[in-house]
Amino acid sequence: MREYLLVFLVALSVTYLLTVVAREFALRTGAVAAVRDRDVHAEPIPYLGGLAMLGGLYAAYLVARHLPFLSTSEEFVLPDAGAVLLAGALVCAVGVIDDIFDLDALTKLGGQVLAAGLLVTQGVRFYYFPAADGTQFSLDDVQGAVLTLVVVIGTMNAVNFVDGLDGLAAGVVGIGAAAFFLYCYFASAQTNLTLATTGALLSAALAGACAGFLPHNFHPARLFMGDSGSMLIGLVLSASALTLTGQFVGMPETTGNSLFVTVLPVLLPISLLMVPIADLVLAVVRRTRAGRSPMSADKQHLHHRLLEIGHSQRRAVLIMWTWAFTIATGAVLVSLFDDPLVWWGLGTMIVLSVALTFVLPKVHRPRKTGLGDTGLPENADLEGRADEPVAGS
């Protein structure tokens, strides 16, 4: 656990320091979210926060290669982590180009396919699904590749869609990464398997990178992560989860709900990112039903609706963090432990999240003192570019 804590702190520290460099580079290259009458931010904000996060992830990986425990782990742990970061660097580069030159949606999708395809060629993909009776349903190369592409690309776009308020995407993904680290660590401990896994290493580093970026990104943000960041952290989180099926002979047996463990390789990326994935699905359905492109802009994302019912920007972000924590932590705890207290705790968190979402605006509305408080100027279109709200991280 101490080495993972060090990995987390290294990623946090390096990301925090590199944000200053990334901000300066964004200003020099023109990767800046300009102020328009339809945007929430009141002054130009630079993009390219993803470069700082990528630097933090690589720094954590390089440190892990020299730690006594992680450096002597199974031969696949560090190579698989390196393959994920290589794919992350590729998709981050695509995001940087988009942040500077504003690529079209198909070109960005092509970059995402290349990055996910690189994972598959490096052996980081789905291999099988375990059944509740202990048997396994093996996937052939084509099935594993297709499922990997769907999950990884879907997760990247889900994070991109939820990146609509300062600190929202970094917080949601950071919570998901921390929850997944706990699953990897305690599932391995329960079954006396090695505590050194690619999933635990990457999720600890990812949680640290998100934590290091948040001080610069929480409202009022000084730097946005842009596509370079949202696609990067989406890829790393989803790849962390799918490494489970390549590094265990059968899923770890836990004392938790067997159904959750059975579908965990697909359930975890979905549950950890339930908030952004739900936002993505609703946006696609909403826009296609209206006869518009799924990538067209609107101001009906979940975070927009929170602003509309009376929450301030900060409070809307904190509430969505609460929902992300409830869903991600709940899925992990139910998978690990068979205890009524887990279900009671999950139920309590759901009730609390509902109350914060719908009751709090009625008893405490933010004062209308400008963008710094409400983040919702009158008659403003809250959406930025087609699938990347400029108001976000």
Side-chain angles (χ1 to χ4, degrees), residues 101-115:
F101 300 107
D102 195 9
L103 300 175
D104 61 88
L106 285 179
T107 302
K108 283 194 295 185
L109 178 61
Q112 294 172 357
V113 172
L114 286 176

Side-chain angles (χ1 to χ4, degrees), residues 94-157:
V94 173
V96 169
I97 297 173
D98 176 58
D99 291 336
I100 297 174
F101 300 107
D102 195 9
L103 300 175
D104 61 88
L106 285 179
T107 302
K108 283 194 295 185
L109 178 61
Q112 294 172 357
V113 172
L114 286 176
L118 179 59
L119 289 177
V120 173
T121 61
Q122 296 297 309
V124 181
R125 64 173 181 84
F126 285 102
Y127 285 90
Y128 61 83
F129 283 107
D133 59 1
T135 60
Q136 298 178 22
F137 174 73
S138 297
L139 301 173
D140 60 33
D141 291 343
V142 174
Q143 292 171 331
V146 170
L147 185 57
T148 299
L149 290 173
V150 170
V151 171
V152 174
I153 294 173
T155 305
M156 284 190 283
N157 283 285

Side-chain angles (χ1 to χ4, degrees), residues 225-246:
M225 69 169 63
D227 274 8
S228 62
S230 61
M231 294 194 296
L232 168 66
I233 62 179
L235 180 142
V236 174
L237 182 61
S238 57
S240 301
L242 64 87
T243 58
L244 285 176
T245 68

Side-chain angles (χ1 to χ4, degrees), residues 179-266:
F180 182 58
F181 168 78
L182 293 177
Y183 174 79
C184 290
Y185 190 87
F186 286 106
S188 298
Q190 282 185 9
T191 51
N192 295 317
L193 297 172
T194 175
L195 296 178
T197 61
T198 301
L201 172 59
L202 288 174
S203 55
L206 180 58
C210 290
F213 182 67
L214 275 173
H216 299 271
N217 185 236
F218 199 62
H219 184 74
R222 296 188 296 274
L223 184 69
F224 292 162
M225 69 169 63
D227 274 8
S228 62
S230 61
M231 294 194 296
L232 168 66
I233 62 179
L235 180 142
V236 174
L237 182 61
S238 57
S240 301
L242 64 87
T243 58
L244 285 176
T245 68
Q247 297 186 358
F248 289 122
V249 180
M251 291 296 294
E253 296 180 1
T254 71
T255 59
N257 187 289
S258 60
L259 176 61
F260 275 77
V261 177
T262 300
V263 299
L264 205 60
V266 172

